[in-house]
Amino acid sequence: MKLLVINPNISDDVTALIEAEALRSASPGTDLVVRTAGYGVEYIETRFESLIAAGAVAEIMAEYTRDGSGSDNGVDGVVVAAFGDPGMPALKELTDIPVIGITEAALCAAALQGHRISIIAISDRIRPWYQDCVERFGLGGRLASIRSINEALHGIASVQQDFKATLLALSHQAVTEDGADVLILAGAPLAGLARELRGQIRVPVVDGISAGIRMAEAVAGLGSGPHRAGAFAAPPAKSRRGLSANLDAALTTAQNAAHDGDARDAALSGTTTPA
């Protein structure tokens, strides 16, 4: 199995943290292709920054999905490795393979391990966007709290070292004051920290990168089949311009696969499908 892991921000140092935790989490036999966004911001805190990052993620995805599943350059699944899942769920419409965001993966993993979930974040500014994400996944009623660092960051790659004591204190407060049954250490800059703090916190602690890798492996391994109908089917074919060659090709591949699937279904049912 081969997974494409995309850092939606432009920090190569954060990509290194992502890759290290992804390698620790991946099953034997899983190959990882780890990429950094070609444009955007150092780290993503707001909805607008997420909007910018979504385009960068789509461009990288298109590079690996433009020729369809099974191609020499193809992958079996994609992990969008930023909390808040920039571009999700729209990115699921671009390809037949599973596309997993670390927010949805972490929330699913947390929901299986406890009823009340708390998220530990790296900045106060990020909290409204994270709240939106939890609501979108239908888990707002199970959110105990979002606690965050309220100091200026010295550097995005050094958050773990600079604020380890603060992050641990926030984790304890989420458990003792907010009633959390399970914690999520949110964001790629915290990748790997859950392993270090696990023995110091009295409830399960979920790492988004680890959850994303494991969930992508699981969903890809299920072989459930592509979206040919419903909310995540490929966008309908229509006139377009200004897209990169990779993105245009990936979109065409997705639309052609959907049309071929419709034609097969029509042939089986004895009806016709538009050309």
Side-chain angles (χ1 to χ4, degrees):
M1 181 181 299
K2 182 189 292 186
L3 299 180
L4 173 63
V5 184
I6 304 172
N7 175 13
N9 69 49
I10 61 170
S11 170
D12 290 327
D13 289 336
V14 171
T15 301
L17 291 172
I18 292 169
E19 184 168 20
E21 180 58 25
L23 287 169
R24 287 190 290 262
S25 302
S27 301
T30 295
D31 295 324
L32 302 177
V33 179
V34 184
R35 295 285 304 273
T36 306
Y39 60 86
V41 298
E42 180 185 10
Y43 61 99
I44 304 164
E45 288 185 280
T46 71
R47 301 173 186 87
F48 185 74
E49 291 170 344
S50 175
L51 179 65
I52 295 170
V57 172
E59 291 290 349
I60 295 173
M61 270 186 57
E63 181 182 344
Y64 289 86
T65 61
R66 57 170 295 159
D67 299 321
S69 57
S71 66
D72 292 340
N73 194 43
V75 293
D76 300 298
V78 178
V79 177
V80 180
F83 213 82
D85 297 351
M88 300 284 284
L91 293 169
K92 295 177 186 288
E93 300 176 18
L94 184 60
T95 179
D96 281 349
I97 61 176
V99 183
I100 306 295
I102 65 170
T103 309
E104 63 181 357
L107 286 170
C108 287
L112 291 172
Q113 299 181 75
H115 181 70
R116 299 282 287 166
I117 301 166
S118 280
I119 295 172
I120 309 301
I122 64 172
S123 80
D124 286 343
R125 183 66 177 87
I126 218 165
R127 292 170 64 180
W129 174 36
Y130 283 5
Q131 179 77 43
D132 286 352
C133 292
V134 176
E135 295 288 349
R136 188 175 78 239
F137 290 117
L139 292 171
R142 294 176 64 176
L143 183 66
S145 61
I146 301 175
R147 288 187 173 263
S148 56
I149 299 169
N150 63 1
E151 302 175 48
L153 304 183
H154 309 305
I156 192 59
S158 63
V159 173
Q160 294 187 36
Q161 292 74 30
D162 297 340
F163 294 100
K164 187 178 297 182
T166 300
L167 292 163
L168 183 58
L170 292 171
S171 298
H172 287 315
Q173 290 166 4
V175 175
T176 59
E177 298 177 24
D178 306 331
D181 302 313
V182 57
L183 303 181
I184 297 171
L185 297 187
L190 301 185
L193 185 60
R195 293 179 184 271
E196 187 174 342
L197 298 185
R198 216 165 268 157
Q200 303 176 55
I201 300 172
R202 294 183 297 165
V203 299
V205 184
V206 175
D207 181 294
I209 300 300
S210 179
I213 296 296
R214 286 298 201 173
M215 291 288 185
E217 289 178 333
V219 176
L222 285 173
S224 304
H227 293 283
R228 293 287 182 254
F232 299 116
K238 61 189 69 169
S239 297
R240 55 184 185 252
R241 65 183 175 191
L243 277 64
S244 68
N246 280 335
L247 193 55
D248 189 71
L251 192 52
T252 297
T253 294
Q255 291 167 339
N256 287 344
H259 183 270
D260 291 346
D262 290 343
R264 285 193 297 271
D265 291 346
L268 290 172
S269 64
T271 60
T272 58
T273 184

